[in-house]
Amino acid sequence: MRDSILTIEHVSKSYTGHKALSDVSLSVPRGAVYGLLGPNGAGKTTLIRIINRITLADEGRVLLDGKPLTASDVFHIGYMPEERGLYKKMRVGEQAIFFARLKGLERREAEKRLKAWFERLGIADWWGRNVEDLSKGMAQKVQFIATVVHEPKLLIFDEPFSGFDPINANMLKEEILGLRDRGATIIFSTHNMASVEEICDHITLINKSQNILSGSVEEIRRRAGGNIFEVVYNADDDKLHTATANIATLLNESEGVVGGYRRVKMHIEDEGNLREVITRLNEQCALRSLSEVMPSMNDIFIRAVNGTL
Amino acid sequence: MKNTWLIIMREFGERVRKKSFIITTLLMPIFMIGMMIAPTLMMLYSKGEQKQIVVLDRSGQAIAERLMPAAETTFIIEERMSKGEACRIFNEESGIFGILYLGRDVEQRDSVQLITNASSSMMLEESIASQISAIIEHDKLASYNIENIEQILAEVETNIELSTYLNDGTGVEESMESTSSSINYILGLVLGMMLYMIIILYGQMVLTSVVEEKASRVIDVLVTSCTPLQIMMGKILGIALVAITQIAIWAILIIGASNFLMPTLFSVEVVATNDMMMQSLMGTLGNTGYLASLFLYLLLFIIGGFLLYASLYAAAGSAVDSVMDGQQFNTVIMMPIILSLIAMMSVFNDPNSPLAFWASMIPLTSPIVMIARIPCGIALWEIIVSLVVLYASFVFTTWAASKIYRVGIFMHGKRPTWHDLWVWFRMK
């Protein structure tokens, strides 16, 4: 296991009347793209705020590179909140410089790096314009640049793709992966499961203030995907039912697919049963294919939240 | 510390470059100078129209002949016409302003009449009445047949000037400060109103700005680099700097204008009046040291008063989602400010009344009331105590406000109640 850049140990936080986080622990491997998942109101934002030292935890501690977080650590963290915020009446370039300087860059250095980023994302012409003249997508790019310009080793993106068209979302994805390749660790907070499957290698799922699932995406999918198979065959339903009786559980109504074949998902408990199913299907149902199904992150998310994983 | 400075400079830089700032900064002195020279200009332009008054003198005392044409009026003596006839002939179309009718016994009621075609002015009426009174008085005195009556009258005429000083206890008259109640009154009023305007104007600016930052979610980005206290203080100090800059520009423009423009604009007759008030006003404005000390106090109380209220405005702004929602808190913040204005009025009756004293010590009312009292000559210790209390309570309100601010900036949706604010305040 790679060493972890960020470790959260038994963190709890309550606001008057409700518990936002209770005893949450997790560790983010260095160089990972780490998904922080959970339904709305689960406590993700609170956790991110604690990592950013915006609020302090009631209990537990947060370690960055093995050391408790201090005020100057914010210079090593870049955070793009879900609700993007820029001063509307301020010029784009000056505003970016302002945010970069707040993160500890000198004016000259900030300007140099920002201009390069603006060039790269194709918004260099907008340097001297007011933010209110920008389209939403362009403002998002400015925000993204302001988040990464001080080259932090830990980047936190809250719903980074919301509001981007597919082309720009893809560009953003490439940029984020590029940052990871150059050594940054990235934390994603999202409930867009498709993006999790695409780019996250580790996740933590928070529900009702607790960490209910943590680990690498592959492992979790394999674990959750236990013994579900998709079968394509050519027979009527009665034959299928007799063939699978007592040794497999059908998970859905079979449906027709192209070429006269039918398809169904089933749950098969152990190896012996699996072989038996294959034999019977082969004999009675003109089996064409049988393959293990990995559950989508979306399924896992819903099952985990409903407690049926 | 560096980040607070960055926030101050952003707040300041953005604001002073705004068109609205440049326009108000330049227009305000023009407006104020306009107010100052308007009376002179009005006098100049209203002079053109001469009023002609026809006099029908039935008194038999030759009063009509002795009426002197005043600045705007000339008199035409009409000997034979009856009153009714004159009214018909000298109507509106005749261009005559009106008819002055002097009855047989002018001291009788209703025997001196001014019948005008248009409404007359108080000044005109007073000047005619006083001229006639003076003529009658003169005639009466003459009827006593006293020798050299003119000379005696000239010698008898007296005009007493009351010089007022403030006792400084040294017994040395030269060191005592000369005072003038009317000038103090005006100066106090002007200073108090200035402070009032600045606190309201710039305090509102803090509220609006905090709300905007919260509504646009810029605050969510800022808090990753700065503490809420840094952000709040940066904003308040940045706006304070804008206020100081604006006042300084106004001061320079107004002083410059009054030095170079005033002498040419003020006609000689206005400056040369024997009016006591005008003279002492000139004296006060000519006393640079006194003006400088006033300006220093003004600055100290403006900064203290602004900072005190600005933190309250910031807390109110952090709690709401829109400027409109901020009104409920705004109203409450305004109350002590309005109270100060009422207390300030009592200062002019008696600058040392218990009300005036305590109102200038209690921090929420002290800036406005104290600055109004200062021109009346207040013991230095009172000013110092008032300032110390003011600045100490600024530290307190800022601390209290920041406790609400740090929670409020993340609260969206429902408009908070007073109870909510109290809960936020007590949060760890």
Side-chain angles (χ1 to χ4, degrees):
Chain A
M1 176 109 182
R2 287 170 287 182
D3 73 322
S4 63
I5 183 166
L6 181 78
T7 311
I8 310 237
E9 288 178 350
H10 307 291
V11 163
S12 294
K13 173 81 188 175
S14 30
Y15 294 113
T16 32
H18 87 281
K19 199 133 186 134
L21 289 175
S22 68
D23 195 25
V24 168
S25 299
L26 58 91
S27 106
V28 179
R30 189 181 305 280
V33 178
Y34 198 98
L36 196 56
L37 320 179
N40 292 325
K44 283 177 297 181
T45 307
T46 305
L47 184 59
I48 289 177
R49 282 191 181 150
I50 288 172
I51 298 170
N52 274 308
R53 285 179 57 90
I54 295 169
T55 41
L56 296 177
D58 296 340
E59 285 165 55
R61 51 182 200 157
V62 179
L63 307 175
L64 186 71
D65 279 332
K67 289 188 285 288
L69 215 54
T70 61
S72 61
D73 284 331
V74 296
F75 296 140
H76 303 302
I77 301 178
Y79 170 46
M80 184 159 91
E82 177 177 6
E83 303 272 1
R84 311 297 148 69
L86 293 170
Y87 291 106
K88 288 192 188 64
K89 303 272 179 198
M90 203 173 171
R91 282 171 208 282
V92 176
E94 273 173 61
Q95 180 150 201
I97 291 177
F98 169 68
F99 284 122
R101 291 181 73 194
L102 282 181
K103 285 292 187 184
L105 288 185
E106 291 305 318
R107 170 180 275 282
R108 201 176 291 255
E109 178 65 16
E111 195 170 336
K112 203 180 90 193
R113 290 195 201 177
L114 285 167
K115 289 231 160 119
W117 268 107
F118 271 59
E119 204 66 55
R120 190 165 158 165
L121 297 192
I123 50 172
D125 294 345
W126 297 84
W127 181 269
R129 305 284 289 269
N130 269 355
V131 169
E132 55 189 349
D133 299 334
L134 297 186
S135 71
K136 197 179 171 201
M138 277 190 277
Q140 299 255 45
K141 286 185 189 174
V142 175
Q143 189 104 47
F144 173 77
I145 293 172
T147 309
V148 302
V149 67
H150 59 293
E151 295 176 1
K153 51 189 176 190
L154 182 64
L155 279 161
I156 303 170
F157 295 103
D158 202 344
E159 292 294 348
F161 300 114
S162 71
F164 273 106
D165 62 51
I167 296 171
N168 281 322
N170 199 49
M171 185 177 79
L172 188 66
K173 195 183 92 187
E174 294 304 321
E175 290 299 339
I176 289 173
L177 292 176
L179 286 164
R180 185 211 40 204
D181 295 342
R182 291 198 290 278
T185 305
I186 287 130
I187 296 179
F188 257 117
S189 163
T190 187
H191 35 247
N192 175 359
M193 292 304 137
S195 67
V196 173
E197 268 166 48
E198 252 179 279
I199 58 175
C200 292
D201 37 41
H202 286 71
I203 61 148
T204 277
L205 178 57
I206 292 180
N207 187 40
K208 292 188 182 146
S209 83
Q210 280 170 323
N211 177 355
I212 58 170
L213 184 65
S214 239
S216 87
V217 172
E218 238 179 85
E219 205 184 293
I220 287 172
R221 285 179 76 178
R222 189 166 307 133
R223 230 190 311 155
N227 309 324
I228 292 176
F229 298 88
E230 189 180 75
V231 176
V232 178
Y233 62 98
N234 195 353
D236 57 38
D237 281 358
D238 286 345
K239 279 190 177 156
L240 176 73
H241 287 145
T242 36
T244 57
N246 300 325
I247 46 173
T249 321
L250 299 183
L251 294 175
N252 59 352
E253 291 289 313
S254 63
E255 51 187 18
V257 289
V258 193
Y261 290 100
R262 300 186 70 76
R263 182 171 63 191
V264 75
K265 273 186 195 167
M266 58 185 69
H267 183 251
I268 305 169
E269 199 51 63
D270 61 55
E271 200 70 9
N273 283 346
L274 176 61
R275 273 192 223 116
E276 185 61 30
V277 169
I278 294 173
T279 318
R280 288 196 203 170
L281 284 174
N282 202 20
E283 286 167 358
Q284 302 169 25
C285 304
L287 176 66
R288 182 161 178 96
S289 76
L290 183 144
S291 53
E292 186 171 14
V293 178
M294 292 288 255
S296 68
M297 283 310 289
N298 207 38
D299 290 341
I300 295 173
F301 181 91
I302 293 168
R303 282 163 64 196
V305 168
N306 291 335
T308 58
L309 190 67
Chain B
M1 207 55 227
K2 189 195 153 214
N3 282 356
T4 312
W5 179 247
L6 281 173
I7 292 173
I8 293 174
M9 287 325 286
R10 192 205 77 85
E11 200 68 43
F12 177 75
E14 284 300 305
R15 282 178 193 284
V16 296
R17 276 186 296 174
K18 269 193 189 161
K19 278 195 199 80
S20 57
F21 174 83
I22 297 169
I23 290 170
T24 49
T25 309
L26 292 180
L27 281 189
M28 192 68 168
I30 293 174
F31 175 73
M32 284 177 76
I33 291 166
M35 294 285 284
M36 283 191 262
I37 64 173
T40 322
L41 291 179
M42 266 156 65
M43 230 179 263
L44 280 172
Y45 284 105
S46 56
K47 237 176 206 169
E49 199 193 337
Q50 284 286 329
K51 296 188 177 98
Q52 290 185 308
I53 295 174
V54 172
V55 189
L56 306 179
D57 189 353
R58 301 283 176 272
S59 66
Q61 289 174 278
I63 295 172
E65 285 82 24
R66 287 182 280 171
L67 283 174
M68 302 293 290
E72 291 168 30
T73 38
T74 49
F75 297 99
I76 302 163
I77 302 168
E78 189 56 64
E79 310 233 330
R80 288 179 227 302
M81 230 174 259
S82 77
K83 190 159 71 169
E85 215 179 331
C87 286
R88 278 192 299 278
I89 295 170
F90 300 117
N91 59 10
E92 224 178 320
E93 280 94 57
S94 66
I96 297 293
F97 179 75
I99 300 148
L100 176 64
Y101 175 79
L102 304 167
R104 206 159 299 282
D105 183 355
V106 288
E107 285 183 78
Q108 287 291 311
R109 227 175 144 239
D110 204 31
S111 70
V112 178
Q113 297 173 337
L114 183 67
I115 306 156
T116 58
N117 289 319
S119 58
S120 69
S121 69
M122 206 143 85
M123 249 168 66
L124 176 73
E125 286 162 23
E126 259 173 31
S127 115
I128 290 173
S130 69
Q131 274 206 55
I132 297 172
S133 305
I135 291 165
I136 304 290
E137 270 171 32
H138 185 269
D139 284 358
K140 280 185 185 165
L141 279 171
S143 70
Y144 289 110
N145 285 323
I146 303 166
E147 243 178 286
N148 302 329
I149 183 69
E150 301 286 340
Q151 195 190 335
I152 292 168
L153 278 180
E155 279 171 15
V156 162
E157 196 182 304
T158 334
N159 207 346
I160 294 294
E161 259 183 49
L162 182 67
S163 299
T164 51
Y165 292 91
L166 191 69
N167 188 356
D168 63 357
T170 59
V172 186
E173 194 193 305
E174 283 71 28
S175 79
M176 286 192 232
E177 210 181 311
S178 81
T179 60
S180 158
S181 301
S182 47
I183 293 307
N184 294 343
Y185 174 90
I186 293 172
L187 263 180
L189 188 71
V190 169
L191 292 176
M193 291 306 286
M194 258 180 88
L195 241 156
Y196 163 77
M197 271 171 47
I198 284 161
I199 288 178
I200 300 243
L201 216 72
Y202 285 93
Q204 288 282 353
M205 208 183 269
V206 171
L207 186 140
T208 316
S209 172
V210 169
V211 171
E212 269 174 17
E213 212 159 77
K214 182 185 172 186
S216 69
R217 311 282 176 149
V218 178
I219 194 77
D220 290 41
V221 181
L222 286 181
V223 286
T224 61
S225 332
C226 323
T227 65
L229 182 65
Q230 283 177 330
I231 300 171
M232 189 178 101
M233 281 320 293
K235 183 166 287 298
I236 291 175
L237 293 177
I239 290 176
L241 212 56
V242 177
I244 293 169
T245 309
Q246 189 161 49
I247 295 164
I249 295 175
W250 284 345
I252 291 166
L253 286 179
I254 291 171
I255 290 169
S258 60
N259 271 346
F260 298 109
L261 292 177
M262 283 307 181
T264 53
L265 283 172
F266 264 128
S267 54
V268 180
E269 41 191 311
V270 176
V271 179
T273 44
N274 282 332
D275 196 335
M276 274 261 304
M277 192 147 124
M278 199 50 103
Q279 277 185 351
S280 50
L281 180 67
M282 293 292 161
T284 308
L285 294 182
N287 186 344
T288 326
Y290 177 62
L291 276 186
S293 72
L294 266 189
F295 188 73
L296 178 72
Y297 288 136
L298 181 66
L299 209 61
L300 285 173
F301 278 101
I302 280 181
I303 295 172
F306 169 76
L307 292 180
L308 181 74
Y309 276 98
S311 56
L312 298 182
Y313 276 113
S318 75
V320 296
D321 283 336
S322 69
V323 176
M324 240 174 31
D325 283 350
Q327 284 314 314
Q328 63 160 343
F329 298 116
N330 192 15
T331 318
V332 177
I333 299 175
M334 283 288 289
M335 272 180 342
I337 304 182
I338 302 289
L339 260 175
S340 331
L341 278 190
I342 297 168
M344 181 177 90
M345 292 306 161
S346 84
V347 165
F348 301 128
N349 289 331
D350 180 1
N352 288 306
S353 69
L355 174 65
F357 176 80
W358 287 109
S360 62
M361 289 299 157
I362 295 164
L364 285 173
T365 55
S366 71
I368 292 175
V369 179
M370 190 46 123
I371 200 69
R373 284 178 75 203
I374 286 176
C376 307
I378 297 298
L380 188 62
W381 72 264
E382 283 191 29
I383 301 177
I384 291 171
V385 170
S386 173
L387 275 173
V388 168
V389 173
L390 180 64
Y391 279 82
S393 41
F394 146 64
V395 173
F396 172 77
T397 53
T398 303
W399 169 77
S402 74
K403 296 198 81 160
I404 292 175
Y405 181 88
R406 90 213 139 111
V407 182
I409 48 176
F410 296 120
M411 294 293 177
H412 293 277
K414 194 170 81 67
R415 200 168 65 181
T417 60
W418 288 99
H419 177 73
D420 292 332
L421 295 192
W422 175 238
V423 171
W424 297 354
F425 175 76
R426 283 176 44 214
M427 245 180 225
K428 261 194 299 173

